[in-house]
Amino acid sequence: MNIVIMGVQGSGKGTQSRLLSKRLTIPHISTGDLFRENIKNQTALGKEAQTYTDRGALVPDVIVINMVRDRLKAPDTAIGFILDGFPRNGVQLAALEFLRPVEHAILLELDDATGIGRLSVRTVCLRCGVIYGSNRPPKVAGICDECGGLLVERNDDKDRGAITKRLELYHQEIDIMLRYYEWKGVLRHIPAGGTPESIFSLCLQALGVSV
Ligand code: AMP
């Protein structure tokens, strides 16, 4: 199953992708996570990407597309993948259709204000990447329930200017993906205001997988 998951910042793409990845045993590929990993390890790609990610700007297409193309060559994607954060514009959309055509496109629908509200309380485990928020608080503040790792805020969630810029870009760019996937007949709208578990059930139904 080649799946793309879309939605405004804070709509739960990361959380749902992780749940779907476990359930469907296909990898969750988040371009944002790939950049953060490269930034943490201070690779050449990471150093270049950071100049964009820190201010909420999009990393140039050529860099992102090459990174995704290389990731999609890995054998663990043979039976499918869940792409989160890609494609983000028409060029990336065309590149993905050329590389690995999408069979399911999930749109997590949430209003901007709720999404921003969620970002302000979102923390991520430094070790395993699990995401916590108001609808899934950790049992012990600052510590991951699953692996005991340290929970931190994302750099770009701390900066109000970067959040506004990311939202603006999202609304500018999303339309082409929605129109294309709708035309292709693979787009599914999922209301994303509920609990992670209830949204997960809706995602499974949309994919035709038993709940
Ligand atoms: P995300 O975790 O998806 O919010 O992504 C964090 C940051 O990584 C974004 O604000 C961009 O700077 C960069 N990024 C992630 N995915 C893409 C993409 N598909 N195209 C360009 N930049 C991206």
Side-chain angles (χ1 to χ4, degrees):
M1 263 190 201
N2 297 348
I3 305 171
V4 156
I5 192 154
M6 301 171 291
V8 77
Q9 286 74 18
S11 58
K13 298 187 294 293
T15 300
Q16 294 305 319
S17 298
R18 295 178 76 85
L19 293 170
L20 287 169
S21 166
K22 256 192 201 162
R23 177 64 178 266
L24 304 172
T25 56
I26 52 178
H28 165 209
I29 303 173
S30 153
T31 45
D33 285 352
L34 290 175
F35 285 130
R36 281 183 285 278
E37 189 63 29
N38 276 281
I39 292 168
K40 193 170 86 187
N41 297 328
Q42 282 296 288
T43 65
L45 173 69
K47 283 180 190 163
E48 183 161 14
Q50 191 164 18
T51 61
Y52 301 93
T53 56
D54 271 358
R55 57 193 163 91
L58 288 183
V59 176
D61 288 335
V62 65
I63 299 177
V64 193
I65 291 170
N66 285 342
M67 181 176 78
V68 170
R69 183 198 56 200
D70 292 346
R71 180 63 186 86
L72 290 177
K73 281 184 191 155
D76 66 339
T77 70
I79 60 158
F81 52 82
I82 302 157
L83 260 174
D84 158 13
F86 185 96
R88 275 229 200 2
N89 60 35
V91 176
Q92 297 180 11
L93 172 72
L96 182 60
E97 284 297 279
F98 175 74
L99 290 168
R100 302 283 292 272
V102 166
E103 294 154 341
H104 300 276
I106 292 179
L107 174 68
L108 297 178
E109 289 186 315
L110 194 72
D111 61 280
D112 288 1
T114 311
I116 292 182
R118 285 186 184 174
L119 295 189
S120 61
V121 291
R122 171 161 81 176
T123 52
V124 183
C125 175
L126 264 184
R127 196 184 295 161
C128 72
V130 166
I131 302 158
Y132 294 86
S134 51
N135 56 3
R136 188 196 175 179
K139 290 184 187 121
V140 179
I143 305 290
C144 178
D145 295 350
E146 299 200 6
C147 76
L150 197 63
L151 302 182
V152 293
E153 251 189 291
R154 277 173 44 172
N155 266 350
D156 54 356
D157 282 352
K158 292 181 206 159
D159 178 344
R160 188 79 199 181
I163 292 175
T164 312
K165 172 98 183 159
R166 280 155 65 205
L167 269 176
E168 246 176 56
L169 279 174
Y170 172 79
H171 289 294
Q172 270 169 30
E173 304 280 10
I174 194 66
D175 206 42
I176 188 165
M177 263 71 74
L178 298 186
R179 281 190 288 137
Y180 177 74
Y181 291 135
E182 178 81 63
W183 170 81
K184 199 179 172 188
V186 297
L187 181 65
R188 300 287 175 268
H189 296 254
I190 306 284
T195 62
E197 295 74 23
S198 65
I199 302 165
F200 182 48
S201 296
L202 295 174
C203 288
L204 290 177
Q205 280 168 27
L207 295 170
V209 176
S210 58
V211 176

